[in-house]
Amino acid sequence: KAGVTQTPRYLIKTRGQQVTLSCSPISGHRSVSWYQQTPGQGLQFLFEYFSETQRNKGNFPGRFSGRQFSNSRSEMNVSTLELGDSALYLCASTADLNAYEQYFGPGTRLTVT
Amino acid sequence: AQTVTQSQPEMSVQEAETVTLSCTYDTSESDYYLFWYKQPPSRQMILVIRQEAYKQQNATENRFSVNFQKAAKSFSLKISDSQLGDAAMYFCAYRSPQGGSEKLVFGKGTKLTVNP
């Protein structure tokens, strides 16, 4: 089985722009979670989707949004980018609710200049 | 809210020796899951080992084992016979079983260096 894939892998944007990141979970997995990883704050939970429904949301401003499609692929969007949004954005998928293991993708490295 | 603390930002170990990474957590829940994840440089994060809080027996996975002390809210990872490939960032993580959420609360990580 192919692993979790994230596109693009690297992205450079300017302050004020918006960006969309994509995550394709492992085939058959229905749950997708997003995390932001920065040197200062570490790994922080953004949101979680299951069967196209957002189940949980982290403590991030409304500029951060996401969605999940019927094929379980997920996107996250960040509008009005700020320098502090520069980070590695990780996506993880699980087979079902209460599955033990989350499988992580390689991440998208976003740099905001 | 739950918190996870890893007090060792960096650790080093000689190849073939044993190293223990520390993790403490704070929660008011009685049932939960604890995990250790490994993130090699420029590579994907992978699960090393997990522990269910209701299980008293410490989890083991080959050279990796944990020392789970529920009353002390401590969850340390022991790596035996360390190998060069063990060099990575190690993250301790907590997950609440309530509501079926997959949300993980991570510690800040410990960077492990393995010296040949």
Side-chain angles (χ1 to χ4, degrees), chain B residues 43-98:
Chain B
R43 294 183 63 185
Q44 289 169 241
M45 190 172 309
I46 58 173
L47 178 66
V48 174
I49 198 166
R50 72 169 187 262
Q51 175 81 43
E52 294 89 335
Y54 64 86
K55 291 185 177 179
Q56 293 187 340
Q57 187 173 5
N58 289 324
T60 62
E61 287 287 341
N62 301 314
R63 298 181 297 105
F64 298 88
S65 62
V66 299
N67 183 4
F68 173 51
Q69 301 289 328
K70 190 173 185 179
K73 296 181 182 176
S74 171
F75 182 60
S76 60
L77 174 70
K78 185 171 83 170
I79 306 174
S80 304
D81 186 25
S82 296
Q83 301 176 359
L84 295 177
D86 295 333
M89 283 292 291
Y90 285 83
F91 294 96
C92 179
Y94 174 103
R95 187 187 134 209
S96 169
Q98 292 186 13

Side-chain angles (χ1 to χ4, degrees), chain A residues 4 9 31 33 35 37 40-43 45 48 55-56 88 90 94 96-106, chain B residues 33 35 37 39 42-47 50 52 54-55 91 95 97-108:
Chain A
V4 177
R9 292 291 311 280
S31 177
S33 300
Y35 295 86
Q37 185 176 20
Q41 299 298 318
L43 282 148
F45 172 79
E48 168 193 355
R55 289 180 49 83
N56 210 345
L88 180 67
L90 295 172
T94 50
D96 212 331
L97 295 178
N98 293 318
Y100 287 124
E101 183 167 358
Q102 292 195 32
Y103 295 83
F104 283 82
Chain B
Y33 306 104
F35 305 86
Y37 278 87
Q39 187 178 39
S42 302
R43 294 183 63 185
Q44 289 169 241
M45 190 172 309
I46 58 173
L47 178 66
R50 72 169 187 262
E52 294 89 335
Y54 64 86
K55 291 185 177 179
F91 294 96
R95 187 187 134 209
Q98 292 186 13
S101 174
E102 304 297 331
K103 173 186 173 182
L104 292 171
V105 177
F106 286 93
K108 290 291 180 71

Side-chain angles (χ1 to χ4, degrees), chain A residues 11-79:
Chain A
L11 205 49
I12 300 175
K13 288 287 189 178
T14 304
R15 270 180 303 176
Q17 289 186 316
Q18 75 165 18
V19 66
T20 299
L21 312 182
S22 180
C23 170
S24 293
I26 292 172
S27 178
H29 285 197
R30 296 191 291 164
S31 177
V32 173
S33 300
W34 288 88
Y35 295 86
Q36 181 196 63
Q37 185 176 20
T38 60
Q41 299 298 318
L43 282 148
Q44 293 185 289
F45 172 79
L46 279 158
F47 21 66
E48 168 193 355
Y49 289 89
F50 180 80
S51 291
E52 302 179 66
T53 301
Q54 186 179 89
R55 289 180 49 83
N56 210 345
K57 190 177 192 299
N59 189 25
F60 279 81
R63 300 185 297 106
F64 291 80
S65 63
R67 59 178 175 170
Q68 186 180 34
F69 301 94
S70 58
N71 62 358
S72 295
R73 190 178 70 85
S74 177
E75 288 182 348
M76 66 163 282
N77 184 277
V78 187
S79 62

